[in-house]
């Protein structure tokens, strides 16, 4: 897309959005996401996104939890945050969408995760009241809801919510990666508002599947720590960050839309390639269709995202619709070899936020802070030009430095 085409489509400043952030603990120390960092409180997440990351639209998952709702109500009461007329909660320059991630399972199938977003706290609390009758512990994250999928979809839509299958292609509870070869085998696809690709896939890989041709794609971090916020994100055309504007963007209404997806190269994802749990090896491209590990002969293979997509594809080659936004491979700052905490802190002190460093700062300006070698590395990361090795089996891929060595 040329600059003039971008300006014609998006008359507003780009809005950066990461819509899958977990709550680790409440302000009182109560656990919500057991595997999440203790400092992932609702207020800390908002502060990190606004002050450090430069993310204007944030989806905080686990807002169904009554103990999280207590934190939100306190922040609203003391004036730290406020509910927006267009939906969402305002904190400084960031708007927070209230979301939940739930686990579902249909008879004869494996479980998968579903995201839902609601316009305001009252709608989220109403959904909590419904779910807690069918959950073992409504205060925890990503818990199983013992309700048929179609009923859950109906309950979400009755409250004006948005439905997004989470990390759809991962072998760990993704609807394609774990449950079924087609989303339509499980969900009423007419009620699906978008699909979250997950860290080990991209738009091209997903375009092997025809039923996704008209479904918007989201790229989110699924952050379990403050530092991981914004490792994948979306660029949106919005008049202002809010729930209503986000809904319009998913429906391409009134000039709103998703203008770009920014994500890890799938090779960096934890589940990109098939992994042998017996010997710990990641199978390479030459072993794409292997049923046994070529290294040790074991059949204990965890199918990778790429291999799963090729197995369920209903096209020989991917076909991206003309209106599909560009997918940009971008290495997060924390992945860049040699860019430690001290240098990153200097960059943020000078340029404000990570989004400024990644998108708005020239190589020459970066070099004044971190030197020409590191500045060139940041620009190479920005442009997806760093050498990578594939991840798999729950282990991230690696970024190679300019010497080609893994770091």
């Amino acid at each position: 897309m040329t600059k003039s085409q971008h300006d014609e489509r998006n008359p507003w400043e780009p809005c950066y959005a990461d819509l899958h952030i977990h709550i680790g603990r409440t302000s009182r120390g109560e656990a919500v996401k057991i595997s999440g960092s203790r400092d992932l409180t609702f207020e800390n997440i908002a502060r990190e996104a606004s002050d450090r990351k430069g993310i204007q639209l944030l989806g905080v998952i686990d807002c169904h939890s009554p103990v999280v709702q207590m934190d939100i109500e306190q922040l609203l009461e003391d004036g730290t945050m406020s509910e927006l007329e267009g939906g969402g909660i305002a904190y400084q320059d960031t708007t927070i969408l209230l979301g939940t991630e739930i686990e579902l399972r249909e008879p004869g199938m494996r479980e998968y995760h579903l995201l839902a977003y609601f316009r305001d706290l009252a709608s989220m609390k109403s959904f909590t009241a419904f779910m807690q009758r069918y959950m073992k512990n409504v205060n925890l994250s990503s818990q199983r809801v013992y309700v048929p999928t179609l009923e859950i979809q109906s309950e979400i839509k009755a409250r004006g919510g948005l439905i997004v299958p989470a990390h759809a292609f991962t072998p760990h509870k993704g609807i394609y990666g774990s449950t079924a070869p087609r989303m339509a085998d499980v969900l009423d696809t007419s009620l699906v508002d978008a699909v979250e690709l997950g860290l080990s896939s991209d738009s091209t890989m997903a375009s092997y599947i025809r039923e996704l041709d008209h479904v918007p794609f989201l790229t989110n971090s699924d952050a379990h720590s403050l530092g991981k916020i914004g490792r994948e994100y979306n660029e949106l055309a919005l008049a202002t960050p809010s729930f209503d504007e986000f809904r319009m963007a998913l429906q391409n209404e009134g000039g709103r839309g998703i203008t770009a997806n920014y994500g890890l190269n799938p090779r960096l994802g934890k589940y990109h390639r098939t992994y042998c749990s017996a010997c710990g090896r990641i199978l390479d491209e030459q072993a794409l269709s292997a049923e046994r590990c070529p290294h040790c002969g074991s059949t204990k293979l965890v199918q990778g995202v790429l291999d799963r997509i090729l197995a369920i594809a209903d096209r020989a080659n991917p076909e991206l619709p003309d209106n599909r936004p560009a997918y940009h491979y971008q290495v997060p700052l924390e992945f860049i070899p040699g860019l430690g905490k001290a240098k990153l802190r200097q960059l943020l002190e000078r340029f404000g936020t990570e989004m400024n460093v990644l998108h708005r700062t020239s190589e020459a300006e970066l070099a004044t802070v971190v030197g020409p070698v590191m500045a060139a590395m940041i620009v190479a990361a920005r442009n997806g030009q760093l050498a990578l090795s594939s991840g798999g089996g729950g282990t991230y891929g690696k970024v190679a430095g300019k010497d080609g060595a893994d770091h």
Side-chain angles (χ1 to χ4, degrees), residues 113-169:
H113 284 180
L114 191 72
L115 302 174
Y117 303 92
F118 294 94
R119 193 175 187 276
D120 51 40
L121 185 56
S123 300
M124 177 60 80
K125 292 177 76 171
S126 172
F127 190 61
T128 297
F130 161 74
M131 285 202 302
Q132 66 184 0
R133 293 178 284 162
Y134 307 101
M135 299 176 73
K136 291 182 178 179
N137 189 342
V138 74
N139 277 310
L140 294 181
S141 170
S142 310
Q143 296 297 290
R144 177 79 61 82
V145 182
Y146 294 88
V147 174
T149 291
L150 296 183
E151 183 177 345
I152 283 286
Q153 286 189 276
S154 176
E155 293 288 343
I156 293 169
K157 288 302 179 181
R159 294 166 175 82
L162 301 172
I163 296 173
V164 180
H167 42 77
F169 294 99

Side-chain angles (χ1 to χ4, degrees), residues 67-322:
V67 292
V68 172
Q69 292 168 10
M70 290 172 60
D71 276 354
I72 297 171
E73 288 173 332
Q74 181 60 49
L75 292 163
L76 293 173
E77 289 172 6
D78 67 21
T80 302
M81 300 183 184
S82 60
E83 289 204 89
L84 293 171
E85 185 176 339
I89 292 179
Y91 174 81
Q92 298 185 24
D93 296 327
T94 296
T95 296
I96 302 163
L97 302 184
L98 303 179
T100 181
E101 182 175 25
I102 55 179
E103 183 173 299
L104 298 166
R105 183 175 183 178
E106 292 297 289
M109 297 181 176
R110 294 173 62 190
E111 62 273 10
Y112 70 97
H113 284 180
L114 191 72
L115 302 174
Y117 303 92
F118 294 94
R119 193 175 187 276
D120 51 40
L121 185 56
S123 300
M124 177 60 80
K125 292 177 76 171
S126 172
F127 190 61
T128 297
F130 161 74
M131 285 202 302
Q132 66 184 0
R133 293 178 284 162
Y134 307 101
M135 299 176 73
K136 291 182 178 179
N137 189 342
V138 74
N139 277 310
L140 294 181
S141 170
S142 310
Q143 296 297 290
R144 177 79 61 82
V145 182
Y146 294 88
V147 174
T149 291
L150 296 183
E151 183 177 345
I152 283 286
Q153 286 189 276
S154 176
E155 293 288 343
I156 293 169
K157 288 302 179 181
R159 294 166 175 82
L162 301 172
I163 296 173
V164 180
H167 42 77
F169 294 99
T170 63
H172 183 63
K173 301 180 181 179
I175 194 164
Y176 286 110
S178 173
T179 305
R182 294 292 171 266
M183 189 165 59
D185 295 340
V186 186
L187 293 160
D188 179 347
T189 56
S190 70
L191 301 179
V192 171
D193 295 285
V195 164
E196 182 184 69
L197 295 178
L199 301 183
S200 296
S201 60
D202 59 21
S203 297
T204 298
M205 292 167 63
S207 296
Y208 276 99
I209 298 174
R210 296 176 191 274
E211 71 173 352
L212 291 175
D213 285 353
H214 303 294
V215 181
F217 291 161
L218 293 173
T219 40
N220 301 318
S221 68
D222 194 358
H224 287 51
S225 67
L226 290 175
K228 293 293 192 294
I229 295 173
R231 63 178 168 181
E232 293 205 348
Y233 53 95
N234 311 273
E235 181 186 287
L236 307 178
L238 306 177
T240 185
S242 71
F243 180 90
D244 291 347
E245 288 279 325
F246 177 57
R247 181 198 296 278
M248 292 176 70
L250 294 183
Q251 297 171 354
N252 284 309
E253 290 184 4
R256 283 77 168 171
I258 302 170
T259 50
N261 297 110
Y262 288 88
L264 300 177
N265 185 306
R267 289 169 63 88
L268 286 174
K270 293 195 295 183
Y271 302 104
H272 181 57
R273 299 313 312 270
T274 294
Y275 170 84
C276 176
S277 60
C279 71
R281 302 281 190 95
I282 295 173
L283 275 63
D284 59 21
E285 283 77 358
Q286 285 71 42
L288 252 176
S289 59
E291 295 181 0
R292 291 180 176 273
C293 175
H295 304 288
C296 72
S298 173
T299 59
K300 296 179 179 179
L301 305 180
V302 178
Q303 191 173 40
V305 170
L306 174 60
D307 310 291
R308 171 64 173 174
I309 288 175
L310 293 176
I312 65 175
D314 56 5
R315 286 179 169 137
N317 297 293
E319 295 181 17
L320 277 76
D322 292 338

Side-chain angles (χ1 to χ4, degrees), residues 35-55:
S35 59
S37 171
R38 296 185 65 88
D39 58 4
L40 274 173
T41 66
F42 193 86
E43 185 174 10
N44 285 348
I45 290 167
R47 186 181 298 115
E48 177 79 6
S50 179
D51 296 350
R52 181 183 175 94
K53 299 293 183 176
I55 293 172

Side-chain angles (χ1 to χ4, degrees), residues 4-22:
S4 61
Q5 288 173 320
H6 183 277
D7 291 345
E8 180 181 347
R9 178 176 179 179
N10 178 11
W12 308 289
E13 285 294 313
C15 173
Y16 297 111
D18 183 358
L19 301 160
H20 191 156
I21 317 296
H22 280 284

Side-chain angles (χ1 to χ4, degrees), residues 321-336:
D322 292 338
N323 63 348
R324 181 73 71 196
Y327 190 107
H328 300 284
Y329 292 152
Q330 187 164 272
V331 176
L333 293 176
E334 68 168 347
F335 275 69
I336 298 175

